[in-house]
Amino acid sequence: MKEKIGWARIFRLLDGALKEKLLPSVSLVAAENPDPYRILISTVISLRTKDEVTKKAADRLLSRAPDVEKLAALDQGVIEKLIYPAGFYKTKAKNLKKIAFILIRDHRSRIPADRDILLTLPGVGRKTANLVLNLGFGIQAVCVDTHVHRISNRTGWVKTKNPEETEKALMEILPRNYWIRINELLVILGQHICTPISPRCSICPITEACIRRGVRRSR
């Protein structure tokens, strides 16, 4: 990170520039009701799926299965139809059905507030587990998706090869009070400004904190 700017200023600039932008789909679900079950289901659906598709699919499924028991009672084919056209909807439906049974059998139908346990659930990786901890339980964790990984490296805050390395690196340099918020803000920034190809550097709120690593073309 450039010496002349600190984390507090970076987050103030991001907040000011992005406050009018639409929240990511799972954040919208959490804003309506931060129930860990809803966060888990929505995040599983969100993987490799556009936000607008995720939100509608999550709303359809959660309206039919507002709790773990009702999800377990749905046929897999019904789940598939409810979450279609989410990416890999058949695999996700199968995993959601399995998750419901595991939660009923092993966790009294409750979502565990434990990353290691969450990671044992089918279809749940570190991004999903950390987002459930963040939005469902208010537990500090750094959730790294493709946007967070790309932007953290592009700015020069970290130099890592994959999201898991980025998570560990950010945990070392980022104050804990920003751990939850960095995902939401960088996802919005990555969707609208710091895009994978030809980022809109001319309107980026944090250019003073960015070395533009790997950027060959920008707008």
Side-chain angles (χ1 to χ4, degrees):
M1 183 170 60
K2 294 184 178 181
E3 293 293 334
K4 64 180 180 180
I5 182 170
W7 291 114
R9 177 166 171 78
I10 288 172
F11 278 80
R12 282 199 302 271
L13 291 170
L14 288 170
D15 278 330
L18 304 177
K19 62 183 179 181
E20 301 300 327
K21 300 292 186 183
L22 186 66
L23 291 172
S25 57
V26 179
S27 294
L28 287 172
V29 172
E32 295 169 357
N33 181 354
D35 173 39
Y37 165 75
R38 293 169 55 84
I39 306 302
L40 174 60
I41 299 308
S42 302
T43 308
V44 169
I45 294 172
S46 76
L47 303 176
R48 297 181 180 272
T49 302
K50 292 182 178 180
D51 270 355
E52 58 269 25
V53 174
T54 295
K55 183 62 169 64
K56 292 177 181 178
D59 285 346
R60 287 194 298 270
L61 179 57
L62 290 169
S63 67
R64 288 284 301 275
D67 55 49
V68 175
E69 287 81 5
K70 288 186 174 61
L71 178 60
L74 289 179
D75 290 336
Q76 182 178 319
V78 173
I79 299 175
E80 291 177 7
K81 291 179 181 179
L82 289 170
I83 67 174
Y84 179 84
F88 304 98
Y89 68 96
K90 289 182 179 291
T91 299
K92 290 176 182 177
K94 183 178 179 179
N95 286 338
L96 287 167
K97 183 84 171 175
K98 288 182 178 179
I99 286 172
F101 279 116
I102 292 170
L103 291 174
I104 292 170
R105 183 190 67 202
D106 299 339
H107 303 288
R108 299 181 180 178
S109 300
R110 296 176 182 175
I111 311 301
D114 183 298
R115 182 189 293 108
D116 291 337
I117 297 176
L118 288 169
L119 288 172
T120 66
L121 299 175
V124 174
R126 294 190 68 86
K127 170 196 168 182
T128 298
N130 285 339
L131 202 55
V132 171
L133 295 178
N134 284 352
L135 301 181
F137 295 99
I139 295 173
Q140 300 284 0
V142 178
C143 177
V144 177
D145 67 353
T146 56
H147 294 294
V148 178
H149 175 61
R150 179 181 72 254
I151 296 171
S152 295
N153 277 274
R154 182 176 281 173
T155 54
W157 301 343
V158 303
K159 190 174 183 180
T160 56
K161 296 179 180 179
N162 55 59
E164 187 167 350
E165 287 185 7
T166 300
E167 178 187 336
K168 293 177 181 177
L170 286 173
M171 288 173 66
E172 293 178 359
I173 63 173
L174 189 65
R176 290 183 67 91
N177 57 305
Y178 297 123
W179 283 14
I180 292 179
R181 299 183 58 236
I182 190 170
N183 177 266
E184 186 173 281
L185 288 171
L186 293 193
V187 168
I188 299 172
L189 185 72
Q191 289 175 338
H192 298 280
I193 297 173
C194 196
T195 51
I197 300 173
S198 188
R200 302 172 66 87
C201 297
S202 61
I203 62 170
C204 180
I206 57 170
T207 52
E208 61 189 291
C210 181
I211 66 171
R212 298 176 68 182
R213 179 186 289 138
V215 176
R216 295 179 177 83
R217 177 184 174 189
S218 64
R219 291 172 281 172

